[in-house]
Amino acid sequence: MRSKIVAGNWKMNKTAGQTNALLAELSAKLPDTRAEVMVAPVFVNLTQAVGQLGGSKIEVVAQNMHFADNGAYTGEVAADMLLDIGIKTVILGHSERRAYFGEDDALLAKKVQQALAKQMRVIFCFGEELADRKAGNHFNVVESQLKNALFALPADAWKQIVLAYEPVWAIGTGETASPEQAQEMHAFIRQLIAGGYGDALAQNVSILYGGSVKPGNAAEIFSKPDVDGGLIGGASLVADDFIGIIKGIG
Ligand code: 13P
């Protein structure tokens, strides 16, 4: 189901105490919104976050997971472990996972399959680097990232997929894609899905934008017809900023 979503990817930030404080402030200040609101703290703070937010509108999601059920994968976390503590949604394919931890399309396809097999929802991230955009290659890069990881899925699986277009050059740089650039790419992505699966399915997929979304630019980006919300990094670490962005979606 296509829905509006604002998700905060906290990345490797916030201790347990800081997590508690930020969630308390977010809960107290959360405005009425049509959007689904999510936060993704680090693994070790997920259990406490789920406990703290029980009954709240804010969903706690994970930043990553492994493709295997369990086993000798030191330092990794499996889907069942997330489900067991009440996590139903996982972010996969973030550009930082791709760049710093060698995650490629083939690995991500396995992770996506595992998440779907476990009935989890996936926020699948992808996006071109600056050099790709400068070379005019950004549509090709995005097309291959999506096709390699997701286009072997059966149509039914797309109910569990949320896409997050995050141009790498806009992440943490303060340089956001313009609303027009975001819309152009999101429309392209929806067309790709329509080409593979038909227009009705494509119209039902939520496509989020991520990359230097702030309270000051959120409303304009979110006003674009193919932008269904945002995946927020830095600004999700400050309650008033994240709240300001949620207000931007209405
Ligand atoms: P920033 O909002 O800090 O640019 O990060 C975006 C992001 O990577 C969200 O996953």
Side-chain angles (χ1 to χ4, degrees), residues 16-249:
Q18 291 165 343
T19 296
N20 180 276
L22 179 51
L23 292 180
E25 196 178 348
L26 284 177
S27 300
K29 294 181 174 174
L30 192 71
D32 254 353
T33 173
R34 61 187 171 143
E36 293 183 54
V37 179
M38 304 176 184
V39 292
V42 297
F43 281 133
V44 291
N45 294 329
L46 289 177
T47 303
Q48 116 185 14
V50 170
Q52 188 176 349
L53 292 178
S56 133
K57 182 180 162 60
I58 305 173
E59 181 185 350
V60 181
V61 312
Q63 297 179 19
N64 183 28
M65 61 167 236
H66 198 266
F67 61 79
D69 281 345
N70 60 269
Y73 297 102
T74 301
E76 292 291 323
V77 172
D80 283 340
M81 298 161 190
L82 296 172
L83 289 166
D84 187 49
I85 58 165
I87 304 287
K88 300 186 186 71
T89 301
V90 62
I91 298 170
L92 293 176
H94 193 279
S95 65
E96 289 146 19
R97 299 295 318 168
R98 295 173 190 258
Y100 306 140
F101 304 98
E103 298 198 6
D104 60 13
D105 294 342
L107 177 81
L108 292 169
K110 287 166 80 172
K111 291 190 175 202
V112 168
Q113 274 169 18
Q114 174 71 345
L116 297 178
K118 297 289 180 180
Q119 310 299 328
M120 295 181 80
R121 201 172 180 199
V122 172
I123 301 176
F124 186 80
C125 306
F126 56 94
E128 82 282 1
E129 295 184 18
L130 184 59
D132 302 318
R133 184 158 280 264
K134 281 191 169 156
N137 207 23
H138 41 297
F139 293 116
N140 290 335
V141 169
V142 162
E143 180 168 356
S144 74
Q145 287 172 326
L146 287 176
K147 288 197 164 163
N148 290 342
L150 301 180
F151 275 50
L153 294 174
D156 201 39
W158 281 83
K159 289 200 288 273
Q160 288 159 258
I161 303 275
V162 172
L163 298 180
Y165 169 59
E166 299 204 304
V168 177
W169 49 271
I171 294 178
T173 57
E175 186 186 346
T176 178
S178 69
E180 292 70 30
Q181 284 172 319
Q183 168 57 26
E184 182 186 36
M185 183 59 86
H186 284 220
F188 171 76
I189 293 161
R190 212 176 289 287
Q191 251 175 28
L192 277 181
I193 303 169
Y197 293 92
D199 193 51
L201 188 150
Q203 291 303 328
N204 263 326
V205 177
S206 298
I207 309 176
L208 315 184
Y209 168 79
S212 297
V213 178
K214 308 287 178 208
N217 61 22
E220 204 187 342
I221 295 173
F222 295 158
S223 74
K224 295 296 177 190
D226 286 297
V227 178
D228 300 305
L231 184 56
I232 319 300
S236 72
L237 300 172
V238 178
D240 287 335
D241 288 352
F242 194 52
I243 296 290
I245 290 168
I246 294 166
K247 285 180 178 159
I249 210 159

